[in-house]
Amino acid sequence: MSLPSEKVRSTKLKFKGEKSKKKRKRDSDAPSASFKGQDEEEDPDTWVLPEGDLEIRGPTFIMHPSDPTPVSVNFDSTRNRIILHSLDRDSTSSQELPLLQRTPTEVAQVWVTTRVAGSSTINLRTGTGEGKFLSCDKHGIVSADREARGPEEEWTPVFMPGGMVAFMNVYEKYISIDEVAGGTMTLRGDSEEVGFKERFWVKIQSKYKKEAHEERKKREGATKSPTIDEAGTNRTYQAWGAGRSIVSHDDTRDLKKARKEGRLSEALLDRRAKLKSDRFC
């Protein structure tokens, strides 16, 4: 599945069979499990596994390794209900692939993940129909029939060892796979612990993973504590005597303490007064 990459991003979903898109070559030695090891020329529409909750965004494919057949979480816009679709019913070529290499074959398998800026929770909206939000009430009933999002439409993705994801609702219960009368599989949202039934595989598109990675780098760069460069500060703001700079290495600890207390500039001025030679006064 791919999305058009234009200046104005369309919300219409389409599949590879509709329009072919040439993929750039990748280094065969580069690992595919980690974003850092991916080739920069990778097709941005490639489906990959996220490595953190902030990477779950954009078109999202949710699978469960059920027995005897793995399923995907789908939305049937005709009946306006959530269904668990057997992945073994897909095309023959898809059936032959390992579960983690499978990708969506129809729009009904795709959810659109959004989040409010700065929030740890996400919203899952259907990728087909009128765009309804996945929700869970206090009784554990999971549905996708609400056009507006509120507390019951908020989900917290919880990453488990191995890369699988559990989804916790506002009532601090987990969504799970359940078998009802007649052997039909359904979703429910009242599990108190995370077991096999509560763990899902989630896939997103590579471009959204890259976007999250770049945002994380910017955020880490903005919050990184500045290093104390007394010599450079002296040359820029406090040099005297034809640019002569004097630095003492005996009170570095005091300068670090001053920085934590928010009085670094004052401390550097005091240092200048102590080190300044009388003949340059």
Side-chain angles (χ1 to χ4, degrees), residues 64-278:
H64 190 276
S66 303
D67 186 29
T69 173
V71 297
S72 63
V73 181
N74 291 21
F75 179 72
D76 187 339
S77 59
T78 303
R79 293 181 290 176
N80 198 34
R81 57 180 293 185
I82 300 170
I83 62 172
L84 296 180
H85 170 74
S86 172
L87 292 176
D88 288 344
R89 295 180 182 177
D90 292 340
S91 63
T92 304
S93 58
S94 298
Q95 294 179 25
E96 297 173 353
L97 293 174
L99 180 60
L100 295 185
Q101 293 183 19
R102 300 197 186 192
T103 59
T105 57
E106 55 182 291
V107 180
Q109 295 174 301
V110 178
W111 298 79
V112 179
T113 301
T114 57
R115 73 169 69 232
V116 177
S119 174
S120 60
T121 60
I122 62 174
N123 301 111
L124 292 165
R125 179 170 54 83
T126 61
T128 183
E130 299 178 358
K132 304 295 182 66
F133 289 96
L134 182 71
S135 64
C136 181
D137 63 17
K138 62 182 180 180
H139 302 294
I141 299 176
V142 180
S143 61
D145 55 6
R146 300 182 183 179
E147 297 180 357
R149 51 188 168 191
E152 292 188 345
E153 288 71 51
E154 301 289 334
W155 298 92
T156 301
V158 181
F159 268 75
M160 311 303 297
M164 299 187 77
V165 181
F167 294 93
M168 184 175 67
N169 60 29
V170 68
Y171 303 105
E172 297 186 353
K173 302 294 180 62
Y174 298 93
I175 195 171
S176 65
I177 298 289
D178 187 38
E179 183 175 350
V180 296
T184 304
M185 305 294 288
T186 187
L187 289 180
R188 57 187 300 172
D190 57 357
S191 295
E192 297 184 354
E193 297 181 353
V194 178
F196 174 75
K197 294 182 178 180
E198 290 74 30
R199 301 182 185 219
F200 297 83
W201 286 112
V202 176
K203 299 192 80 171
I204 59 171
Q205 291 184 320
S206 177
K207 58 186 173 185
Y208 293 99
K209 186 170 184 176
K210 180 179 179 181
E211 180 182 274
H213 179 71
E214 291 174 347
E215 289 179 2
R216 182 168 57 249
K217 287 177 64 177
K218 291 180 180 178
R219 188 166 53 250
E220 290 174 352
T223 58
K224 185 177 180 181
S225 298
T227 57
I228 298 176
D229 181 9
E230 186 183 0
T233 303
N234 283 352
R235 284 192 297 270
T236 305
Y237 303 107
Q238 303 175 9
W240 67 91
R244 186 168 62 93
S245 179
I246 303 175
V247 178
S248 171
H249 299 284
D250 298 331
D251 53 357
T252 303
R253 183 181 304 173
D254 293 337
L255 291 179
K256 289 182 178 180
K257 181 179 179 181
R259 183 183 63 188
K260 292 181 180 179
E261 296 176 354
R263 53 182 185 84
L264 179 58
S265 297
E266 180 183 350
L268 288 172
L269 287 173
D270 292 340
R271 288 275 299 110
R272 178 175 183 266
K274 292 178 181 179
L275 295 174
K276 190 174 181 181
S277 174
D278 291 339

